[in-house]
């Protein structure tokens, strides 16, 4: 049976998309990608993604929303290598850490930091909320790290083998790096060392080169740059040039 080719909708700069792409890489899955920012999705995008969010996975006639649902779907369809612990209790813990990343790190790193300094400023031409940004950087993200640090392993991964928990949390700290937040190794030594190990994995390192290249390229010019880098960018796009705010509003 030949490996199916999936289609992913969503920008390489999104931590939720990164989670999916890392899982696909680790499972050896092929895909094409329409690397749009959610805010530039047109009406057809909204039909596929009613919350106007990325990523969306398209598998033939099936449309799957939400990075956690997508990663679980890929795991169910391609169980080897498994990215979820075998033990039921550890599997629940992995899913909780994934949810913590998606919800809390998403709120702090994406909504209050990355969105404020990126799309809000450059796409919507609105001022960054510097108070929210500084509070997220100086108070909220340190509190997240205070919670994560005691759970971090001295070596290896969070729950023994590499799992969705590691992939999800590390995906968000890439976006923290985009807005120049580095984990202080004096204050959170295990977290800092774990993140270095995560970023050294080929699946993260390969994407990092692409992310670093497109991070400063205006959104409409990213597709040709990605194609030149050899990325499997689809000919068709759901993107437009007219920015629109999401359904679940970011401030
Ligand atoms: N729970 C969703 C969250 C996805 C999400 O919030 N993606 C961001 C991109 S980083 C987005 O599309 N934001 C647009 C918006 O919320 O309006 C998932 O895990 O896929």
């Amino acid at each position: 049976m030949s490996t199916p080719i999936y289609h992913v909708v969503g920008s390489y700069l999104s931590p939720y998309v990164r989670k999916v792409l890392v899982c696909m890489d680790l499972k050896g899955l092929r895909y094409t990608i329409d690397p749009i920012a959610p805010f530039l999705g047109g009406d057809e995008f909204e039909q596929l993604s009613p919350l106007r969010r990325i990523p969306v996975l398209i598998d033939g006639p099936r449309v799957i929303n939400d990075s956690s649902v997508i990663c679980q779907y890929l795991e169910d369809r391609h169980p080897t290598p498994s990215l979820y612990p075998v033990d039921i209790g550890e599997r629940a813990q992995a899913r909780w850490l994934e949810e913590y990343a998606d919800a809390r790190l998403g709120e702090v790193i994406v909504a209050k930091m990355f969105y404020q300094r990126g799309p809000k400023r450059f796409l919507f031409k609105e001022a960054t909320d510097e108070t929210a940004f500084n509070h997220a950087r100086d108070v909220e993200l340190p509190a997240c790290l205070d919670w994560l640090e005691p759970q971090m392993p001295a070596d290896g991964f969070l729950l023994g083998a590499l799992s969705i928990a590691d992939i999800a949390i590390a995906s968000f700290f890439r976006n923290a790096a985009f807005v120049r937040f580095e984990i202080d190794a004096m204050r959170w030594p295990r977290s800092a060392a774990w993140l270095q190990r995560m970023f050294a994995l080929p699946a993260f390192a390969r994407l990092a080169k692409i992310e670093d290249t497109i991070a400063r390229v205006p959104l409409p010019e990213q597709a040709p740059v990605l194609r030149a880098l050899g990325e499997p960018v689809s000919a068709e796009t759901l993107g437009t040039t007219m920015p629109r705010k999401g359904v679940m509003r970011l401030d």
Side-chain angles (χ1 to χ4, degrees), residues 20-132:
V20 169
L21 297 185
V22 167
C23 288
M24 292 181 103
D25 184 318
L26 290 167
K27 287 180 177 291
L29 304 176
R30 291 186 299 146
Y31 54 86
T32 53
I33 185 164
D34 178 5
I36 60 165
F39 313 107
L40 291 177
D43 292 341
E44 207 186 328
F45 170 67
E46 193 162 326
Q47 277 165 22
L48 299 182
S49 177
L51 299 183
R52 296 186 57 78
R53 284 186 156 172
I54 53 168
V56 179
L57 182 81
I58 301 181
D59 180 15
R62 207 178 294 281
V63 177
I64 303 172
N65 283 267
D66 192 282
S67 62
S68 302
V69 178
I70 294 169
C71 291
Q72 183 65 62
Y73 177 76
L74 295 172
E75 174 78 7
D76 292 343
R77 291 213 56 191
H78 310 274
T80 312
S82 176
L83 300 175
Y84 294 74
V86 176
D87 176 84
I88 290 174
E90 286 193 347
R91 209 181 312 157
Q93 181 64 9
R95 289 189 175 124
W96 155 239
L97 289 169
E98 178 187 20
E99 171 58 18
Y100 179 82
D102 289 0
R104 184 59 180 148
L105 297 182
E107 182 178 40
V108 176
I109 296 173
V110 179
K112 297 185 179 174
M113 297 174 77
F114 177 72
Y115 173 75
Q116 289 292 332
R117 288 267 166 100
K120 189 176 184 191
R121 191 188 278 180
F122 296 108
L123 204 55
F124 294 114
K125 315 285 183 214
E126 293 172 13
T128 298
D129 183 340
E130 292 295 344
T131 308

Side-chain angles (χ1 to χ4, degrees), residues 155-178:
D155 204 356
F157 304 106
L158 275 158
L159 295 161
L162 174 66
S163 80
I164 193 70
D166 302 285
I167 296 164
I169 295 171
S171 291
F172 283 86
F173 278 101
R174 266 297 286 162
N175 282 67
F178 295 160

